[in-house]
Amino acid sequence: MEGLVNSRIIPIRASCRRHYSVFLPTFSLQLRNKNLNKGQVWMMRRPKSLDSIAASIQPLDASTTGNIDNRQPSKEVLELWRSADAVCFDVDSTVCVDEGIDELAEFCGAGKAVAEWTARAMGGSVPFEEALSARLSLFKPSLAQVQNFLNKRPPRISPGIEELVKKLKARNTDVYLISGGFRQMINPVASILGIPQENIFANQLLFGSSGEFLGFDANEPTSRSGGKATAVQQIRKVKGYKALVMIGDGATDLEARKPGGANLFICYAGVQHRESVAAKANWLVFSFTDLITALE
């Protein structure tokens, strides 16, 4: 993976919708003596016909798609996108216009230092688990701080994501959220988009009986490097999907494109343009409108 020293990260100005809703579910903030929800999916997959292109697909390496400019998708990439029976989205800087842990850290007074670690993690220059532990150790959020943050900082979702998810669901395409962020902050995003809780693969903050910060659940696959790839492989094994697409902005999202995982990686650079990641994508988009239009 390209290191930060070799990678330019270009912030993208994007409008967004901030959602305030009294209908969001109560957030499940886990205490030490509770059993952890691993988020595994064990439901039978409903039958669905697919285009023939999805029948026996291997992951597409960006170098094999025939595109010098991957902003213009090849015919093969478009066919895979249209025939996908599952789409997995990264959350931070993809579904949402910010990095959740950076926002929480800023709320708790440690924004700058944590943001620097986030840039290193997303560029692929340090192991994700190392960056996650280091970031949390800089501000150690309590249960009360997280609850206060959730009350005062509702999700800011990316333009077009609601329409895209609706269109995918109308095509009977299953939608997942796979994130290195925290369930406590992703639950309200899933509620806005109508994505069931069992379709969320993310990390879990842990708190003691007095609400003190204890750490995070290291058993979650998304808590470490390669974790998103593991989550995607697990989903695909259980559900039997023939064609699965991963959409995100970071190195950990790119990792999901491998045998048994995602067939296609679409880099969304509408918030952060991480050039080393974008260069290896099968398709680079700066707006979800491109993906919506390609489905029509």
Side-chain angles (χ1 to χ4, degrees):
M1 206 55 63
E2 300 286 341
L4 182 66
V5 68
N6 297 320
S7 172
R8 293 179 60 207
I9 302 176
I10 306 171
I12 308 294
R13 292 182 179 271
S15 59
C16 65
R17 293 179 60 190
R18 186 185 287 275
H19 285 259
Y20 296 84
S21 173
V22 295
F23 299 105
L24 294 182
T26 301
F27 307 122
S28 175
L29 297 167
Q30 184 141 354
L31 300 180
R32 176 172 46 188
N33 60 350
K34 300 289 185 180
N35 291 326
L36 295 176
N37 176 11
K38 298 295 186 290
Q40 295 178 328
V41 182
W42 299 105
M43 297 185 296
M44 294 297 292
R45 176 188 169 226
R46 62 182 181 278
K48 182 169 65 136
S49 61
L50 292 171
D51 297 341
S52 59
I53 187 69
S56 58
I57 302 170
Q58 295 299 317
L60 284 181
D61 186 276
S63 64
T64 68
T65 60
N67 283 347
I68 296 176
D69 179 6
N70 61 358
R71 290 191 63 181
Q72 299 299 321
S74 67
K75 180 180 179 181
E76 189 176 10
V77 166
L78 284 174
E79 287 177 332
L80 270 170
W81 171 238
R82 292 166 180 160
S83 66
D85 46 0
V87 176
C88 299
F89 288 93
D90 171 45
V91 177
D92 296 331
S93 295
T94 300
V95 169
C96 294
V97 301
D98 42 38
E99 292 285 335
I101 191 170
D102 292 357
E103 294 293 303
L104 178 60
E106 188 275 330
F107 185 81
C108 296
K112 183 178 179 181
V114 170
E116 291 173 354
W117 270 100
T118 296
R120 296 174 66 187
M122 293 303 98
S125 63
V126 294
F128 183 80
E129 58 271 28
E130 179 184 335
L132 182 60
S133 180
R135 286 180 287 177
L136 287 171
S137 69
L138 289 171
F139 65 108
K140 299 179 179 179
S142 68
L143 176 61
Q145 285 177 310
V146 174
Q147 290 176 321
N148 196 23
F149 171 80
L150 292 172
N151 289 332
K152 294 183 177 180
R153 299 278 185 92
R156 298 192 301 152
I157 65 172
S158 294
I161 187 62
E162 284 182 284
E163 183 182 352
L164 176 56
V165 169
K166 287 178 182 177
K167 188 168 286 290
L168 288 169
K169 291 166 71 175
R171 295 167 64 92
N172 293 320
T173 302
D174 292 339
V175 178
Y176 293 83
L177 298 179
I178 302 185
S179 175
F182 303 107
R183 291 180 182 274
Q184 289 91 343
M185 299 163 69
I186 294 171
N187 285 343
V189 177
S191 180
I192 291 165
L193 299 176
I195 296 172
Q197 295 292 302
E198 60 266 25
N199 285 16
I200 300 174
F201 285 71
N203 293 315
Q204 185 86 347
L205 290 170
L206 302 178
F207 303 95
S209 57
S210 299
E212 74 276 15
F213 173 76
L214 294 180
F216 61 92
D217 179 15
N219 292 317
E220 292 283 1
T222 53
S223 68
R224 52 190 177 270
S225 294
K228 289 185 180 180
T230 299
V232 169
Q233 289 172 323
Q234 179 183 6
I235 291 168
R236 193 160 183 186
K237 181 179 179 180
V238 171
K239 303 287 282 186
Y241 294 124
K242 290 184 172 65
L244 187 149
V245 176
M246 181 74 203
I247 301 175
D249 70 296
T252 56
D253 306 309
L254 175 62
E255 289 175 340
R257 186 187 62 198
K258 60 171 53 180
N263 302 102
L264 191 69
F265 171 61
I266 298 174
C267 179
Y268 174 72
V271 178
Q272 297 283 350
H273 183 192
R274 307 182 198 277
E275 291 189 337
S276 63
V277 176
K280 298 176 182 178
N282 300 110
W283 188 3
L284 170 62
V285 299
F286 288 85
S287 171
F288 285 124
T289 301
D290 294 343
L291 302 182
I292 294 168
T293 301
L295 292 174
E296 295 174 347

